[in-house]
Amino acid sequence: MPLFAKPSTPRPPTARTRRRTHGRIDARAGASQPVSATVTAVLPGERFAAGGRICRLAASCLAMPEAGDAVLVARHGGSGWIVAVLAARGSRAIRAAAPVLELQAAQCSLRSTHLRTESQDWTATHGEVALAATRLRAVAAAAEGVFGTLSSWARQCLAWRGRSLRQVQDVESLRCGTLDVHAAQLLALGGGTAVLQAQGMLKVDGAQVHVG
């Protein structure tokens, strides 16, 4: 008998051994090869019945499965996980549940019939913003804006305020065709120097007129 035995050459797997080991859990990885299955029921708590087992939604699956969808199921930690939706019977909602979601692209386009965003704090930083809308409506408890230069053009401007306070530090100039100012109680005009002039007629009317 030789001192050192010749190592035996492993035999290649046959079709029978391949069928027997197909879908078996790898003890080292703790997971099995994903297999296709059909969702038979949608259970509470984002659980799904697919492939004869109860499966949860994996973090990599962005589409929400529904009954009748063809999905890819994998086993990990003794539980079934849906890792992807292969074929959906209709439109599906896309979700991304992550603490931080970052998108980077040279150009990004978003088209939707109805777009809704909800956030506790929203910060946007842009070099140049162009907004075009048929109708724009904004509702806020408080609004504040700081501008270096503010220019606005409006065909018609209507404003209703409970109280209005405007303070101009330097010069304010108003040019209009007709100016109509009406105060229900008191109209007070004052200045260090006041000039009131008219090219045609200057009319002052009142029950009492005090000058000086």
Side-chain angles (χ1 to χ4, degrees), residues 49 60 63 69 76 107 116 120 128 132 146 159 165 187 197 205:
S60 60
D69 292 350
H76 177 75
Q107 185 176 359
R116 178 181 178 183
Q120 185 176 358
E128 184 176 351
V146 180
L165 175 62
L187 175 62
Q197 64 181 21
D205 188 10

Side-chain angles (χ1 to χ4, degrees), residues 146-157:
V146 180
F147 306 94
T149 301
L150 178 61
S151 301
S152 62
W153 292 267
R155 183 176 302 173
Q156 186 178 6
C157 181

Side-chain angles (χ1 to χ4, degrees), residues 17-194:
T17 57
R18 283 195 298 264
R19 289 194 302 266
R20 192 166 57 244
T21 57
H22 177 69
R24 182 182 300 174
I25 295 180
D26 188 353
R28 294 172 298 177
S32 65
Q33 294 295 330
V35 295
S36 60
T38 301
V39 178
T40 56
V42 179
L43 306 177
E46 292 189 356
R47 297 183 303 164
F48 308 88
R53 67 179 68 251
I54 304 301
C55 303
R56 297 172 60 185
L57 200 62
S60 60
C61 185
L62 301 181
M64 186 65 64
E66 291 188 5
D69 292 350
V71 296
L72 200 62
V73 178
R75 292 184 58 187
H76 177 75
S79 303
W81 298 86
I82 297 179
V83 297
V85 176
L86 301 178
R89 301 183 61 180
S91 59
R92 292 292 177 268
I94 302 299
R95 67 150 202 176
V100 178
L101 179 62
E102 183 177 353
L103 300 177
Q104 293 184 359
Q107 185 176 359
C108 181
S109 299
L110 179 62
R111 295 179 178 88
S112 175
T113 304
H114 179 72
L115 179 61
R116 178 181 178 183
T117 61
E118 184 176 351
S119 174
Q120 185 176 358
D121 187 11
W122 183 29
T123 302
T125 303
H126 304 280
E128 184 176 351
V129 177
L131 177 62
T134 304
R135 183 177 180 181
L136 179 62
R137 182 174 181 266
V139 179
E144 180 181 354
V146 180
F147 306 94
T149 301
L150 178 61
S151 301
S152 62
W153 292 267
R155 183 176 302 173
Q156 186 178 6
C157 181
L158 304 176
W160 288 267
R161 303 182 180 94
R163 179 179 298 179
S164 177
L165 175 62
R166 185 174 61 185
Q167 183 176 355
V168 180
Q169 183 176 358
D170 195 357
V171 178
E172 182 175 10
S173 178
L174 174 63
R175 299 289 188 271
C176 64
T178 301
L179 178 62
D180 184 10
V181 180
H182 174 73
Q185 297 180 3
L186 175 65
L187 175 62
L189 300 176
T193 300

